[in-house]
Amino acid sequence: MVMKISSPFFSFLFLSLFLSTSADAQISNCQPVQCSHEGPNVTLPFYLNSQPQDCGEPGFELTCRSNATMIKLPYHKELIVKSISYQNRRFNLLDPENCLHEVFLNLDLSGTPFKYYYSIKSFTYVNCSNPISLRSKLSFPEVPCLSGPGHHVYTVESSLFASLSASWDRSASCRVAKVVEIPFAYSPYLSDSSFGLGLTWENDGSCEGCRGRENRAEGEDGGLSTNQIAAGGSITVLILVVMAALVLMKIRKIKVQDGDAKMDEQVLLHTKNLIG
């Protein structure tokens, strides 16, 4: 007897395969990626804007632009992500315009999950109409990328500002531009492109913003965690078990129906014999 399988079974089979494929696609979409061969691996808690949002944490969105890995922080332009250390929870940023202290002057991390990697101090940015005297320059190094004709910008540790400002040349016409908390003042001995801007993030491993996905940023290279692989395998096994159970139920039902039919034939034959 040929076993006929009803259309609801095919519907369930199609749905099961669809869900399994969708789960595999989600895992594939959230695998570590790079914007270029030299770029950092992007994995949890970071994710690219071309990936589903639940591939990472809120506030950790990155963008690929001209083979560079970029991040957009509030109240500032995009910055280049030079490197990411998931083990140390640290990533280094570069300013495309090579003016790190312009970033320090305007960057506000209060609305982000990030903070400076190095300890910070209060520094004062001073804007002068004319260059200050040589004697004061030793304490107030001019920031070249912020300075120009008619304005000369210097930085000094705020705790020393009062005593050092007494040595100003009054003809410089200086005023305080802004007081910010940053890791270090400008130094001509530190290169913006090599030293960079180090940020860090808090992470207790719970990955609450990942909507139930496990944290796979376990090492420098990232990768799928054992829990994710086990979860994908469990879904596949469950689908196969359910499909096997439905097939067995269908076969048993057919056997029962076939047995009932044979019994009916035997009763009918016995009745004819009695009548005959």
Side-chain angles (χ1 to χ4, degrees), residues 36-271:
S36 67
H37 181 70
E38 298 80 13
N41 273 348
V42 178
T43 186
L44 279 174
F46 294 94
Y47 69 100
L48 291 179
N49 63 342
S50 58
Q51 296 179 301
Q53 289 186 353
D54 55 2
C55 286
E57 295 265 18
F60 286 80
E61 180 181 299
L62 304 179
T63 303
C64 291
R65 200 175 305 283
S66 300
N67 293 327
T69 309
M70 312 293 292
I71 187 171
K72 178 68 171 68
L73 297 173
Y75 311 110
H76 203 272
K77 59 193 176 185
E78 284 188 326
L79 298 172
I80 299 174
V81 181
K82 179 182 179 182
S83 62
I84 304 175
S85 172
Y86 294 96
Q87 183 176 3
N88 297 323
R89 297 201 306 270
R90 172 186 174 181
F91 63 108
N92 292 328
L93 304 177
L94 297 176
D95 182 15
E97 299 179 4
N98 199 30
C99 189
L100 182 59
H101 276 270
E102 192 272 335
V103 178
F104 282 155
L105 190 60
N106 296 285
L107 185 61
D108 182 6
L109 297 176
S110 60
T112 74
F114 311 119
K115 63 181 181 179
Y116 289 113
Y117 184 80
Y118 300 100
S119 59
I120 58 176
K121 293 182 179 180
S122 177
F123 287 90
T124 300
Y125 282 74
V126 181
N127 187 5
C128 302
S129 300
N130 300 298
I132 57 178
S133 65
L134 181 62
R135 181 169 62 91
S136 297
K137 278 187 178 180
L138 298 176
S139 300
F140 292 84
E142 183 174 335
V143 184
C145 64
L146 294 178
S147 303
H151 64 280
H152 304 268
V153 179
Y154 306 87
T155 58
V156 64
E157 191 172 337
S158 297
S159 61
L160 305 176
F161 177 76
S163 60
L164 293 176
S165 62
S167 62
W168 284 1
D169 182 357
R170 299 304 176 186
S171 63
S173 301
C174 298
R175 62 180 180 83
V176 174
K178 193 174 184 180
V179 178
V180 295
E181 292 189 346
I182 56 177
F184 50 85
Y186 171 78
S187 171
Y189 305 106
L190 292 177
S191 171
D192 286 357
S193 60
S194 61
F195 193 80
L197 168 62
L199 297 182
T200 185
W201 67 90
E202 296 294 335
N203 187 358
D204 59 3
S206 61
C207 193
E208 295 179 358
C210 300
R211 300 170 180 84
R213 300 190 65 249
E214 296 293 336
N215 194 330
R216 52 183 165 84
E218 298 176 351
E220 200 70 23
D221 296 331
L224 291 176
S225 67
T226 305
N227 290 340
Q228 284 181 311
I229 297 174
S234 298
I235 294 175
T236 303
V237 171
L238 178 61
I239 291 175
L240 292 176
V241 169
V242 173
M243 290 171 58
L246 288 176
V247 171
L248 291 175
M249 290 173 60
K250 188 67 177 179
I251 293 175
R252 179 175 296 179
K253 182 178 179 181
I254 291 175
K255 287 184 176 180
V256 171
Q257 291 177 347
D258 188 48
D260 292 341
K262 290 182 178 180
M263 184 176 295
D264 291 340
E265 291 178 1
Q266 292 177 357
V267 171
L268 181 60
L269 181 59
H270 182 67
T271 303

